[in-house]
Amino acid sequence: KILCLRFRYRTCLWPEMYGQSGCNAQSGASMYGSMRSNGDLQAFDFQGKMPVTARTPRKPLNLIAVITCFCLPLLIFVVVFAAQTFVLHYESPQVCMLLCSIVLAFVLLLGYFAYSAVVQKTAGVQEPEWYAFVFATGALAWVFAFALGQVNFEVNMQPFYDVS
């Protein structure tokens, strides 16, 4: 059961436990250890009233950007890890390195897009957060895929290919 007490400038919500409410009934102030209402987090003006502040409207979330931020680094990781791990690395290491270098060039191109978006943001043109996030996660995906694919090839796959 929740007790709702209304006072002149705020409302206190507190579950009724042990016969106590969350506010001092005489002054309207919160008792020590009680939950505060959201109004306590804002500053009061000199008359004791909360000032009215206008919130800026939220921008809608770009669903395509969210999906790209998840799938593109995953695709980078899968392509580089597979190239470093499987038979392509064993039979033609030059082609494997060429493929990994092409993917690295693509990641660096994402870095260029992120840099140019940051520069254009200072001019007030667009938001660079998505570009920067895709570049950072793509670069991490490439580094981890290259290193872990090489280790996986040397430990597990190369002995198998040598036997067969």
Side-chain angles (χ1 to χ4, degrees):
K1 179 177 171 182
I2 300 233
L3 180 65
C4 177
L5 299 174
R6 277 198 181 267
F7 294 99
R8 186 171 176 186
Y9 298 115
R10 63 188 172 138
T11 301
C12 294
L13 295 174
W14 181 252
E16 237 181 71
M17 289 196 259
Y18 308 111
Q20 296 177 353
S21 68
C23 295
N24 186 349
Q26 292 176 352
S27 66
S30 296
M31 293 174 54
Y32 178 75
S34 67
M35 296 185 336
R36 296 179 178 206
S37 66
N38 289 337
D40 289 342
L41 301 177
Q42 297 179 357
F44 289 93
D45 65 0
F46 63 90
Q47 294 176 350
K49 297 180 182 176
M50 288 184 5
V52 177
T53 56
R55 290 186 178 180
T56 57
R58 272 190 169 177
K59 295 179 185 175
L61 191 60
N62 188 353
L63 189 61
I64 301 295
V66 172
I67 292 171
T68 303
C69 284
F70 177 73
C71 292
L72 196 59
L74 184 65
L75 181 69
I76 290 169
F77 183 87
V78 167
V79 168
V80 173
F81 188 81
Q84 284 290 97
T85 297
F86 295 122
V87 72
L88 180 67
H89 189 168
Y90 186 75
E91 290 180 354
S92 56
Q94 294 84 13
V95 174
C96 175
M97 287 305 293
L98 178 66
L99 178 63
C100 291
S101 300
I102 290 171
V103 174
L104 179 62
F106 177 72
V107 170
L108 294 176
L109 182 67
L110 291 175
Y112 172 73
F113 288 153
Y115 174 74
S116 63
V118 168
V119 169
Q120 288 180 357
K121 183 181 182 177
T122 57
V125 175
Q126 59 182 327
E127 297 177 12
E129 290 86 12
W130 293 117
Y131 295 108
F133 182 78
V134 166
F135 167 65
T137 54
L140 283 174
W142 190 91
V143 168
F144 282 122
F146 192 83
L148 293 175
Q150 182 67 32
V151 169
N152 189 30
F153 176 76
E154 291 173 359
V155 171
N156 297 319
M157 301 306 287
Q158 191 171 16
F160 174 77
Y161 291 136
D162 287 341
V163 170
S164 2

